[in-house]
């Protein structure tokens, strides 16, 4: 299973970015998908998650500014980020809780990360 993120980059404070993450490979079923981020010198932290039926969960620091969504037919998760702040600067990683066959368990698969830099 491979996860490929896209959409990162440099944006000014107050700006917006949309991250995408597409899962591919031997996929039987995907349960939860989501985004974490890691800033320099800090631990990786949860940003947002979404279940297969669309239930969402957000870190307090991004509530009201970020929106997570997914397209189950495309095995893709999105993160719309608005009103970005310098403290949102980090490498953003997506994950997918994936089952590769009917009899297997769900395991977490991760992307390689995409850099988001918020700076004037």
């Amino acid at each position: 299973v491979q996860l490929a993120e896209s959409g990162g980059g440099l944006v000014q404070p107050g700006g917006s970015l949309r991250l995408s993450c597409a899962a591919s490979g031997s996929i039987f079923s995907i349960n939860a998908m989501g985004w974490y981020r890691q800033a320099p010198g800090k631990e990786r932290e949860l940003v947002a998650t979404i279940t297969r039926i669309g239930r969402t969960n957000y870190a307090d620091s991004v509530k009201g500014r970020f929106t997570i969504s997914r397209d189950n037919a495309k095995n893709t998760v999105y993160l719309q980020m608005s009103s970005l702040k310098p403290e949102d600067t980090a490498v953003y990683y997506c994950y997918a809780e994936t089952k590769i066959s009917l009899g297997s368990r769900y395991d977490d698969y991760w992307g390689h990360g995409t850099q988001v830099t918020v700076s004037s």
Side-chain angles (χ1 to χ4, degrees):
V1 178
Q2 297 82 42
L3 274 70
E5 299 117 332
S6 61
L10 173 65
V11 63
Q12 293 186 340
S16 299
L17 279 176
R18 187 191 194 210
L19 305 183
S20 300
C21 173
S24 62
S26 180
I27 297 171
F28 178 80
S29 176
I30 298 178
N31 192 12
M33 303 182 80
W35 295 89
Y36 279 68
R37 67 186 181 186
Q38 188 167 18
K42 295 187 177 181
E43 295 185 353
R44 189 175 296 193
E45 63 176 2
L46 170 73
V47 177
T49 61
I50 184 168
T51 68
R52 183 169 182 82
I53 61 172
R55 290 180 178 170
T56 59
N57 179 52
Y58 294 94
D60 288 342
S61 59
V62 307
K63 282 181 181 177
R65 300 187 299 121
F66 292 10
T67 301
I68 189 170
S69 61
R70 65 189 281 176
D71 184 332
N72 291 332
K74 296 181 179 179
N75 292 329
T76 299
V77 63
Y78 306 96
L79 186 68
Q80 178 66 48
M81 305 184 293
S82 302
S83 302
L84 282 160
K85 305 175 181 180
E87 50 264 42
D88 294 317
T89 295
V91 178
Y92 284 70
Y93 299 90
C94 69
Y95 82 95
E97 190 180 19
T98 305
K99 180 183 285 194
I100 62 173
S101 66
L102 179 61
S104 69
R105 66 181 186 183
Y106 281 100
D107 286 317
D108 287 344
Y109 292 85
W110 292 84
H112 294 296
T114 184
Q115 177 70 46
V116 172
T117 302
V118 185
S119 175
S120 55

